[in-house]
Amino acid sequence: MAFCIIFLTLILGAFGEEFIEEIFIKPLPPTHLYSYFQFITLVDTESFVHSNLAPRSIGEVISRFQVDELHMTLTEGQWRHSQWGYPVLDAAPGAELYAWFNPEVKDIDLEWRKLSATLSGLFCASLNFIDSFNTITPQMALWPTGAVKSNLNVTTLLRYASLPREIVCTENLTPWKKLLPCESSRGFSALLNSRMIHNTNYHSIGVHVRKVCASEDCTETKLEIKQTVALVYDYKIIGSNDWSFRKLFGHGLPGACPLATSSIIHVDITSNTSYPFQLSPMPDKVVQSRRGGSDLKLAVYEIDASVEMINIGVKHSTKEKLSVIIPPPLHFNRYVLGYGKEFGGIVTELVNNYWTAIDVVVLENAPWWLPIQLSSLRINSEAESKLVKSQYYSPGRSRQKPYHLELLLKLPPRSTTTITIDFEFVFLKWQEYPPDANHGFYIGSAIIAANLPTAKNYTSLPVTGINYHSTINASQSWYPAVFRTNGAMVSLPTPDFSMPYNVICLACTVVALAFGPLHNICTKELILKPVGTPLSLTQKILNFFKRKKE
Ligand SMILES: *[C@@H]1O[C@H](CO)[C@@H](O)[C@H](O)[C@H]1NC(C)=O
Ligand SMILES: *[C@@H]1O[C@H](CO)[C@@H](O)[C@H](O)[C@H]1NC(C)=O
Ligand SMILES: *[C@@H]1O[C@H](CO)[C@@H](O)[C@H](O)[C@H]1NC(C)=O
Ligand SMILES: *[C@@H]1O[C@H](CO)[C@@H](O)[C@H](O)[C@H]1NC(C)=O
């Protein structure tokens, strides 16, 4: 068995292929636990068809639609940045898709529509609802994370869309798991059973494809397919703040995937200093990372395929005290203003807690039925703000194009910045309302791209087998991050859809009431009663019994 695995690994290595699986577990004190899975497949761009590890369906999508980089996430729940810090990868609630196409593509909009329809079929998600009326081309907020030619005008190649209403469930997870080389039979993906996943407060599944350099000078590239799952558990649902794989996923880990070059589990044990706990079994090693203002301690497990069953867990020796949550350096909030059914406003609040200024790009994206007026843009209730360094606005068009506003801001140290923009409510055509029109209409999240000056509350996986990843103590002058705010909901002026029903009810009642007397009049014969001497009481009683007998 061991020989077979080594042999297999050697063969795959010769093809330049690699598969890496990782789990990262971080307590989010005092009430939640974050677990993040990532499965990375690396393949040669040319030999995709002959690959043993890479999912063929993704490969074909990438090559047919000439996609250079692709990000797709399906998320249920809301990541709370001010309480939980930052996730490894942020995602907008609902479905989100964005991609950079190859410069050789002639009609990007056409390929984009085809791409979203294909992915929709592949993941059983409603991505086919993506069309020009909800697609934008971000100018400053999103940049490729993979290798791109530096002389390229990448913004024109980008398309972005989000569907905040999309509901994520089991039918999306099953096709997602099928893309992994070990599917769900072996390896870390065996932990992901939908019964436990849909019990969480927040879950997000994603597929991220990009090109990475295969050589020093980056003349050769490889394709990296990264599949991710992020889960946030509430200790209340687990029952206590002592967790274990069995409690989180329903069973232990049945060893690593035999096709994986490395299978690593990281557990963030930094909080052990304040609330001591015991980790079982003992980790293979403990690594320390000190970078950009953060001080991390990670327990590392290297799992191999021969492991029978492993159940990593934590037992606290003291009860966790309620602690004050220190919010991360940058956090934000979004809400809807206004009353009545005519005008309203969206407010995005950005808080910079840090002692230096932070540069951020804020992308507001409003659907065509919520026209936002650039003239009503106020920053800290000023029309002309010194904070705005650059601005991009693309007005929407009814049923064709969404409204899109991007602002490059310099947030002053220790400040709160409010961005307010007004909108009007629009009357939709009656077929354009969803079946539950009174539920309200979702507005997508704003995207916030920031260059954080510190790595505090910044989460990234430190050690992996692949050398292009950042090493553990790497210090940078800034840490790039892209966040999504919470979504919002508005209630549009909705016609009274119960009206036809009321009319039908009323009409039916009237008809029913009129029917009885009319029927009686039309069908019954009128007979005159002979008028004689008034009957005595005994005669009346006799008559009564006589009628009974008949
Ligand atoms: C952010 O990081 C600081 C220090 O690293 C920590 O004290 C604080 O609790 C963290 N906040 C959150 C919300 O994670
Ligand atoms: C990139 O393309 C956009 C839109 O076509 C254009 O406005 C911009 O100037 C171009 N930038 C460069 C560096 O060529
Ligand atoms: C946490 O700290 C206690 C002592 O303070 C130590 O016994 C224990 O092993 C630590 N736990 C981990 C996971 O390092
Ligand atoms: C990172 O820095 C810490 C503290 O400075 C040190 O103990 C640790 O060995 C370093 N880790 C690596 C991988 O260099």
Side-chain angles (χ1 to χ4, degrees), residues 401-420:
K401 206 167 144 239
Y403 290 79
H404 167 197
L405 170 71
E406 266 175 272
L407 297 169
L408 172 63
L409 301 171
K410 199 173 196 76
L411 304 179
R414 299 208 181 278
S415 69
T416 301
T417 309
T418 11
I419 303 167
T420 317

Side-chain angles (χ1 to χ4, degrees), residues 11-79:
I11 287 193
L12 295 176
F15 273 114
E17 295 188 336
E18 254 186 289
F19 174 64
I20 291 168
E21 42 182 10
E22 283 173 295
I23 301 179
F24 179 79
I25 297 180
K26 181 185 185 183
L28 306 171
T31 51
H32 292 83
L33 181 77
Y34 173 42
S35 63
Y36 172 80
F37 288 68
Q38 89 178 8
F39 303 90
I40 299 178
T41 316
L42 269 180
V43 274
D44 272 339
T45 324
E46 283 80 41
S47 63
F48 210 107
V49 202
H50 310 294
S51 165
N52 295 305
L53 295 175
R56 176 126 189 208
S57 46
I58 289 285
E60 280 179 4
V61 168
I62 297 294
S63 55
R64 170 153 322 164
F65 304 118
Q66 303 194 50
V67 178
D68 273 1
E69 187 168 332
L70 171 105
H71 299 268
M72 187 201 77
T73 53
L74 298 169
T75 309
E76 190 72 38
Q78 183 64 57
W79 184 274

Side-chain angles (χ1 to χ4, degrees), residues 269 272 276-279:
I269 54 169
N272 191 31
F277 54 76
Q278 217 63 44
L279 203 57

